[in-house]
Amino acid sequence: MGQPSRSALIGRTLKALKKHYKPVPPPPKERTLFEHLVFACLVEDSPNEAAEQVFATLKQDYFGWNEVRVSTIRELTDALKPLVNPPESASRLKQSLHSVFESVYEFEIESLKKQNIGQAAKHMQKYKGTTSFAVAYVTQHALGGHAIPLNRGALILLHTVGVISNDEFAKGMVPGLERAVTKNKGGEVASLLHQAGVEVGRNPYGQSARKLMLEIDPNCKDRLPKRPTQRPERQAPKAQAAPEPAPTTPARRREAAAKQPVHRKEPEKKTAKKPATKRPPSIKKPAKLTKRPTKKGTKKPTTRRLTKRKPR
């Protein structure tokens, strides 16, 4: 038998996922396009219930989205604790808010609905921190387009069961997924893949993730995610033995002194003294000739006299 087609593999995968997960109801219709983008940053790697809880907390505890934007990553991480990966979600949220604010100086991007779906998607891709999952999520729930958002766990699942190749996994794309799934089933399929992706992304090496992937394709043992090899740890230095306690009684002191090796001093070697070197006799310099001071009106002497030395 030949290798099954991509659409057949997608159908087999969705059939297995329906046994374990139920579709999540769609988000409220009153949410704006910007709020869908914020929610996509939260729900990408986390369950839908946890993301809804965090989204309500942000709207209640902060004065507005600008206060969320100027908050630090550490502060947002504490607010996003119910999520699977709070630091990464906080970084995505902060960068997306900052990019939107820098582009329009407000948190309102409803004007994207007036553009073509493809143009609006390209515009959102320019926002720093906005992933392909967020763009597909907003396209599906806010723009009315046919796009299925896939997080990293879902991509690992589809790659392991043979739906996508290594190059397609590296690019984060699943060609033919929207053609294999009709538009009216897009929300249901996206919900199933998202729940499975959260389970696999939380721990790709766990028993539940391996069991799910083997159920879809029993021949994928060689493609299952493997833990990265850890470097061997350096051996700790051996602990030195503790010194023995000092003897207390005189008899034991004598025994301990007898056991200790006797260190004899080696006789010092006599070194021959070097003969003293005689300094050469000092040569006396000749006395300098000084000029005798003369009074005004007198002529200078033509002869020079030697100055008398002082007695030593």
Side-chain angles (χ1 to χ4, degrees), residues 29-267:
K29 294 182 180 180
E30 60 270 12
R31 280 184 183 169
T32 63
L33 194 150
F34 173 75
E35 290 178 341
H36 280 295
L37 179 61
V38 172
F39 187 79
C41 296
L42 303 176
V43 79
E44 181 169 347
D45 299 323
S46 303
N48 192 78
E49 297 80 5
E52 290 285 357
Q53 177 186 349
V54 171
F55 185 77
T57 303
L58 292 176
K59 295 186 69 175
Q60 181 180 357
D61 295 349
Y62 289 83
F63 294 106
W65 294 115
N66 189 55
E67 186 182 359
V68 179
R69 180 183 70 89
V70 298
S71 300
T72 61
I73 297 294
R74 182 177 296 180
E75 294 173 351
L76 292 178
T77 301
D78 294 338
L80 273 58
K81 279 185 178 180
L83 302 182
V84 174
N85 195 347
E88 188 173 346
S89 301
S91 178
R92 284 197 303 266
L93 176 62
K94 184 178 176 63
Q95 290 179 359
S96 299
L97 291 176
H98 194 68
S99 298
V100 171
F101 185 79
E102 281 189 340
S103 61
V104 293
Y105 298 102
E106 60 180 354
F107 301 105
E108 186 68 32
I109 52 177
E110 292 295 319
S111 60
L112 294 179
K113 291 183 177 181
K114 299 178 183 179
Q115 300 179 7
N116 188 12
I117 294 177
Q119 294 178 353
K122 289 182 180 180
H123 187 83
M124 286 187 293
Q125 288 174 356
K126 296 179 181 179
Y127 294 150
K128 190 177 180 181
T130 304
T131 60
S132 58
F133 174 90
V135 174
Y137 183 91
V138 175
T139 302
Q140 183 185 61
H141 294 288
L143 299 177
H146 184 35
I148 299 177
L150 297 171
N151 54 16
R152 180 168 179 79
L155 292 173
I156 293 174
L157 172 67
L158 296 175
H159 174 259
T160 305
V161 299
V163 175
I164 57 177
S165 62
N166 296 335
D167 296 337
E168 292 167 347
F169 174 74
K171 295 178 182 178
M173 56 185 298
V174 184
L177 180 60
E178 282 77 11
R179 291 194 302 269
V181 178
T182 58
K183 186 176 180 180
N184 57 349
K185 294 287 185 180
E188 177 183 350
V189 171
S191 178
L192 295 176
L193 288 173
H194 176 259
Q195 294 179 69
V198 170
E199 183 68 27
V200 175
R202 183 185 283 112
N203 186 9
Y205 322 106
Q207 292 296 329
S208 58
R210 293 169 65 90
K211 185 178 179 180
L212 177 62
M213 290 184 282
L214 287 172
E215 182 181 349
I216 298 172
D217 184 10
N219 300 323
C220 69
K221 291 184 179 180
D222 298 337
R223 298 191 300 270
L224 289 173
K226 298 179 182 179
R227 295 181 182 274
T229 55
Q230 297 181 355
R231 295 181 180 179
E233 299 180 357
R234 296 182 180 179
Q235 296 181 356
K238 296 182 180 180
Q240 297 180 356
E244 297 180 357
T248 55
T249 60
R252 290 184 179 180
R253 290 176 185 172
R254 288 193 295 271
E255 292 178 2
K259 291 180 181 179
Q260 293 180 356
V262 179
H263 299 283
R264 297 180 179 179
K265 294 183 179 181
E266 296 181 359

Side-chain angles (χ1 to χ4, degrees), residues 276-291:
T277 56
K278 295 182 179 180
R279 295 183 179 179
S282 58
I283 302 171
K284 296 181 180 180
K285 296 181 180 180
K288 294 182 180 180
L289 299 175
T290 58
K291 295 181 180 181

